[in-house]
């Protein structure tokens, strides 16, 4: 666990953060300019701050003690490419091992294993300038991991990549952070990426920590947090589903959520038997009776657990919180206040969630 109680100078003001971050994949989330990168650099020891930082049983900083950045065993992947252009991919990777050797750290993650995990065997002899954006990002992350870090800091590692490149690299990030059991802080302002990768969230805004908790608890509440002045992007829900089949003819993945079924477009059957789904709140409609003759294929029987009006830029909308019957999974739908009143929606009512689109990722 990483425990923070720090103040970090940023321009004419400062960032105030007090929290405990669990040993999992944690999203550091917030609008541009809120201090995400500055906080990450403070954790790594690259930016001065006051207060205390504790990682597991080690005190990295307090009133009379400071562990320098090179002794913190932190793997840091910056937003921009930091590969050495004059070295081959293999030589760049071995630089990570060299750092671990200098610090006399046992090599638990050898080169061959990391190369296999990131599918880099065919890239080892190439120079960085010949790599695609996705390939370069994979090498950057792999080099950080070969330094045998206790903590991995990823500062928008997919920044600047198009959707195809992101689709290429996200499975590697998902697998490596979980299978190698390295606590990770992942900076992003994209809810979709967070839903696919992160188990925990820290939400920043107004130079402070606004909220923290499990991803599935925080994402649905972003509409309410946005009313406090920061645009935090689209609210949504993360739910777990079991893969039950795949239709090559229709490029359709069959899923089960409890005893209910869904279908999601996909080019192939996922490699894992369980997946995460991200459902944007704006992509869920509500019906009080089961409709027919619709192009929307996914309808889930749900129960209303809460109705909360939104304000600020989202005035006129309400957040309707739902539980999927037979599974306990939770959804959030943003609908107009007028529609909510016209449908006479009430707490405890059983209704149908009409899901216009869902974004799938693996593993769950």
């Amino acid at each position: 666990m990483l425990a923070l109680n720090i103040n970090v100078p940023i321009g004419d003001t400062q960032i105030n953060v007090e929290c405990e971050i669990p040993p999992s994949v944690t999203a550091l989330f917030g609008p541009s300019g809120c201090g995400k990168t500055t906080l990450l650099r403070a954790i790594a020891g690259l930016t001065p701050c006051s207060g205390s930082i504790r990682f597991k049983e080690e005190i990295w900083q307090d009133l009379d003690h400071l562990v320098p950045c090179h002794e913190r065993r932190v793997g840091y992947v910056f937003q921009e490419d930091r590969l050495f252009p004059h070295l081959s991919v293999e030589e760049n990777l071995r630089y990570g091992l060299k750092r671990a050797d200098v610090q006399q750290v046992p090599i638990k993650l050898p080169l061959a294993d990391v190369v296999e995990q990131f599918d880099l065997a065919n890239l080892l002899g190439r120079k960085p300038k010949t790599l695609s954006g996705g390939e370069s990002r994979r090498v950057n992350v792999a080099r950080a991991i070969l330094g045998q870090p206790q903590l991995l800091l990823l500062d928008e590692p997919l920044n600047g990549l198009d959707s195809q490149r992101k689709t290429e690299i996200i499975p590697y990030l998902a697998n490596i952070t979980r299978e190698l059991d390295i606590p990770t802080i992942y900076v992003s302002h994209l809810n979709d990426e967070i839903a696919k990768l992160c188990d925990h969230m820290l939400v920043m805004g107004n130079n402070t920590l606004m909220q923290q908790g499990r991803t599935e608890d925080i994402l649905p509440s972003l509409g309410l947090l946005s009313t406090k002045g920061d645009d935090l992007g689209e609210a949504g829900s993360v739910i777990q589903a079991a893969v039950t089949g795949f239709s090559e003819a229709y490029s359709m993945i069959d899923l089960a959520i409890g005893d209910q079924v869904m279908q999601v477009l996909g080019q192939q059957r996922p490699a894992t038997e369980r997946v995460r789904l991200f459902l944007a709140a704006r992509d869920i409609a509500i019906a009080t009776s089961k409709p027919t003759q619709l192009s929307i294929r996914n309808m889930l029987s749900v129960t209303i657990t809460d109705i909360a009006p939104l304000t600020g830029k989202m005035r006129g909308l309400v957040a309707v919180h739902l539980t999927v019957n037979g599974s306990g999974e939770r959804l959030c739908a943003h609908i107009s206040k007028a529609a909510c009143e016209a449908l006479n929606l009430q707490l405890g009512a059983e209704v149908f969630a009409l899901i216009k689109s869902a974004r799938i990722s693996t593993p769950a």
Side-chain angles (χ1 to χ4, degrees), residues 268-290:
Q268 60 186 9
R269 183 183 178 118
T272 58
E273 292 305 310
R274 294 193 64 80
V275 296
R276 289 183 179 186
L277 293 174
F278 176 68
L279 290 78
R282 65 184 180 186
D283 289 340
I284 299 178
I286 294 175
T288 54
S289 59
K290 190 173 184 177

Side-chain angles (χ1 to χ4, degrees), residues 186-324:
Y186 185 92
V187 175
S188 179
H189 60 273
L190 298 176
N191 308 33
D192 198 8
E193 289 180 14
I194 290 171
K196 292 176 179 179
L197 291 169
C198 302
D199 308 305
H200 191 81
M201 286 184 70
L202 303 176
V203 181
M204 292 186 63
N206 299 320
N207 297 323
T208 191
L209 184 63
M210 298 173 64
Q211 194 169 5
Q212 63 176 312
R214 298 186 309 167
T215 300
E216 56 262 43
D217 295 331
I218 300 299
L219 277 179
S221 70
L222 290 182
L224 296 172
L225 290 175
S226 294
T227 64
K228 297 181 180 180
D230 286 316
D231 182 8
L232 298 176
E234 61 180 351
S237 307
V238 180
I239 63 174
Q240 309 280 338
V243 179
T244 59
F246 174 70
S247 169
E248 188 169 348
Y250 294 104
S251 297
M252 194 76 73
I253 301 168
D254 298 321
L255 304 168
I257 303 170
D259 56 3
Q260 301 193 61
V261 297
M262 279 186 64
Q263 291 182 316
V264 179
L265 286 172
Q267 298 305 308
Q268 60 186 9
R269 183 183 178 118
T272 58
E273 292 305 310
R274 294 193 64 80
V275 296
R276 289 183 179 186
L277 293 174
F278 176 68
L279 290 78
R282 65 184 180 186
D283 289 340
I284 299 178
I286 294 175
T288 54
S289 59
K290 190 173 184 177
T292 59
Q293 305 299 316
L294 287 179
S295 61
I296 298 175
R297 299 186 61 82
N298 292 314
M299 305 180 197
L300 297 176
S301 172
V302 297
T303 299
I304 298 175
T305 57
D306 190 30
I307 300 174
L310 304 180
T311 58
K313 295 179 180 179
M314 304 185 76
R315 184 167 174 253
L317 296 177
V318 295
V320 183
H321 296 270
L322 310 159
T323 297
V324 179

